[in-house]
Amino acid sequence: MKVAPLHILILAGGHSTRMGTDKAQLTYHGLPQTQWLPQLLQPLGLPIFLSLNPAQATGKPDTPQVIVDQFPDKGPMGGLLSAHWAYPEVAWVAVAIDWPLLRRKTIEFLMENRKPKCQATCLKHPERKFPEPLLAIYEPGIFKEMQQAFEQEKLGLIRLLRACHIHTTMVPDPRELLNANSPSERQLALELLKSGRFSVN
């Protein structure tokens, strides 16, 4: 079986409605997330791409490389499909821009637990019943089903993953799955980092 090469896709093209400001430009570690996450993941040695909406991509430098979301109002599924169309032979490590507590070793853990014969490999929170779609590896074989779901306006990645042959593994530290989507969640992440009770290193 030929195993597809891995590329990283940092999904940063959302409209940040709940946050009220662009989550991609928020700072938790001294740099905007669009700079910090690529720096965090660069030692993995994989090609790294930012998925941006057309407005964000205007005048954006090419480091890291940018894939413009062709469907900016369709959520992360549109960003993933845009990446697949650009590089159809690649398996994508999907990482949301709003994981302020993410550690590089957790992405290494995800890669080590990858099951290429499955359509996706996902991390999972021990207290949640669903796979985490934005800390996951999407194999090329899942994109046919994703395209069909997209055309039917079934845009939820969790529903897609539940209908596919996937492998899940528990995240090493559940605190990393603090998804900072709102000002209160952002404040919680900042307080945890400031307290010294959590380190991304």
Side-chain angles (χ1 to χ4, degrees), residues 62-136:
D62 291 333
T63 306
Q65 299 177 82
V66 169
I67 295 177
V68 178
D69 187 347
Q70 302 301 307
F71 306 95
D73 298 318
K74 300 295 186 180
M77 187 179 286
L80 280 162
L81 282 171
S82 298
H84 174 66
W85 293 343
Y87 298 90
E89 304 302 321
V90 163
W92 289 99
V93 183
V95 179
I97 197 68
D98 48 15
W99 298 122
L101 305 182
L102 183 65
R103 295 178 170 115
R104 181 168 57 246
K105 64 183 180 182
T106 299
I107 300 299
E108 292 173 338
F109 175 79
L110 174 64
M111 292 163 57
E112 289 165 0
N113 284 274
R114 178 189 182 191
K115 303 294 184 187
K117 291 184 179 180
C118 295
Q119 290 174 291
T121 301
C122 309
L123 293 180
K124 191 175 182 180
H125 192 290
E127 297 178 0
R128 300 171 189 164
K129 296 181 180 180
F130 54 86
E132 178 46 64
L134 299 183
L135 277 178

